[in-house]
Amino acid sequence: MKKLIISILLLCTLSLQAFAQTDERVITGDEQTSEYFPLLEGKRIAIFSNHTGMIGNKHLLDVLLENQFNVVAIFSPEHGFRGDADAGEHVSSSVDSKTGVPILSLYDGKLGKPSEASMNKFDLLIVDIQDVGLRYYTYYASMCRLMDACAEYGKKMLILDRPNPNGHYVDGPILDMKYKSGVGWLPIPIVHGMTLGELALMVNGEHWLPESRTCDVTVIPCKNYTHQTMYQLPIPPSPNLPNMKSVYLYPSTCYFEATPVSLGRGTDKPFQVYGHPNMKGYDFSFTPRSVPGAKNPPQLNKLCYGVDLSGMSDEEIWKRGVDLTYVIDAYRNLNLDDHFFRSFFEKLVGVGYVRKMIEDGKSADEIKACWQDDVKKFKKQRKPYLLYAE
């Protein structure tokens, strides 16, 4: 009896310890200054970051300058260094108004990479930016272009890793590389479930850089993070992902970007609603307006009828994963035949068969079944590069 009580107490203690470990705050890579400050001594430093690169209430740039490091340049992604530009809007090179550090264009050289002059300004490039884990979210593609440039010019890259808020699952077809574009850069599923640090290791390991180049990458991993950690973003990563509901619905509603249907840009619920002036049979309506980060949204100033998804529970959204139900619903309602999908659709979804299956009347579940082998294949392929428990 005594042994049984001791065993039960031991099990309870282990359970409490396990709970405590999972309940600990995630510590991002950039917070671990003692791990990477020694790597910066005597280096000319560039950073690839934006408004999400915060260490507590201070930006990484300010922390580095306060500690007397030689920051010579900033590379900023889509939406700009301060994160307020429209999707795809041209953001020119400039100077950070607060610090005077030059902001260099990611695209001032050949093949959409930084120029030789830009690359020669620094020795080491620090990546500290919040991604959301989607193949068509462009921050990782910018990182890959910088990896290629660093490999070509012999520069080191240091990734201060951050959690992936959609890191708990993998879903969607692997990109058919004939549809490669700025919104689809690597042969990965729509939801890849990896952090930027893990993805960079995979890019090197799978020889995905041009000419099989390898970038000299060091990753400072997060602490207290696994792929089942439901990480809440402290800062919206871009203007039209203002909250976690948008981030979670993004894998299922982004495809409306390739149709005439509004997905709520220019409202307070981007990626959480969808509608069109000619959609019939819906009680819900909204009107897109010109707002910062969505200056000229689809269906601007027009009353749109459609669906509000913002009331769905997070658990229901996670359970559904990539869900084409919403696109199929709008397609059938509007009955526009050849005028519904634009060529951008294939760049977003990554394969040619999805549009045809929708047009042939297939269900979302039937389409989803077609990419399950891709999901299995990718999960096996990515395994050697994971830094965190699945």
Side-chain angles (χ1 to χ4, degrees), residues 17-37:
Q17 285 175 345
F19 176 77
Q21 284 170 359
T22 57
D23 202 40
E24 285 180 312
R25 184 181 75 83
V26 171
I27 299 171
T28 55
D30 65 359
E31 292 180 73
Q32 302 170 57
T33 54
S34 62
E35 297 290 321
Y36 65 89
F37 272 12

Side-chain angles (χ1 to χ4, degrees), residues 74-295:
I74 298 164
F75 290 105
S76 63
E78 184 180 17
H79 307 296
F81 186 57
R82 298 297 170 188
D84 53 3
D86 279 17
E89 182 181 350
H90 176 70
V91 180
S92 60
S93 297
S94 58
V95 171
D96 179 47
S97 57
K98 183 178 177 184
T99 63
V101 177
I103 300 175
L104 306 178
S105 173
L106 280 166
Y107 310 102
D108 63 355
K110 294 177 183 176
L111 302 174
K113 293 190 299 187
S115 65
E116 183 176 359
S118 292
M119 295 302 296
N120 284 337
K121 291 180 187 295
F122 67 90
D123 307 307
L124 179 143
L125 175 65
I126 300 177
V127 174
D128 183 21
I129 193 165
Q130 182 61 62
D131 193 59
V132 298
L134 278 293
R135 190 183 62 222
Y136 41 66
Y137 198 63
T138 60
Y139 294 175
Y140 85 92
S142 295
M143 180 188 75
C144 291
R145 284 192 287 269
L146 286 167
M147 286 180 71
D148 184 28
C150 286
E152 185 177 349
Y153 292 100
K155 308 296 181 178
K156 294 179 183 293
M157 179 179 282
L158 173 66
I159 299 175
L160 306 178
D161 216 12
R162 289 177 171 274
N164 176 354
N166 284 307
H168 54 287
Y169 72 110
V170 174
D171 203 1
I174 291 174
L175 175 69
D176 181 337
M177 291 301 276
K178 75 179 181 183
Y179 297 118
K180 180 179 177 179
S181 71
V183 292
W185 201 254
L186 298 175
I188 57 178
I190 292 168
V191 184
H192 54 74
M194 301 175 79
T195 67
L196 287 183
E198 292 174 322
L199 204 51
L201 297 178
M202 190 171 189
V203 167
N204 272 343
E206 298 297 314
H207 305 290
W208 284 340
L209 293 180
E211 300 175 32
S212 294
R213 283 192 280 260
T214 300
C215 179
D216 185 344
V217 171
T218 300
V219 180
I220 306 297
C222 303
K223 290 181 177 176
N224 307 324
Y225 174 69
T226 77
H227 284 281
Q228 296 309 310
T229 304
M230 302 312 297
Y231 182 71
Q232 300 280 311
L233 298 183
I235 299 168
S238 52
N240 289 287
L241 294 178
N243 53 43
M244 295 310 297
K245 199 68 75 177
S246 289
V247 169
Y248 294 146
L249 282 166
Y250 186 42
S252 299
T253 55
C254 186
Y255 317 102
F256 286 118
E257 304 270 41
T259 75
V261 176
S262 167
L263 49 67
R265 287 186 186 273
T267 75
D268 62 352
K269 294 179 181 178
F271 293 99
Q272 300 170 62
V273 301
Y274 65 92
H276 186 277
N278 297 333
M279 281 173 64
K280 309 295 183 191
Y282 300 101
D283 296 328
F284 176 71
S285 65
F286 61 93
T287 304
R289 305 292 187 192
S290 181
V291 297
K295 297 184 184 72

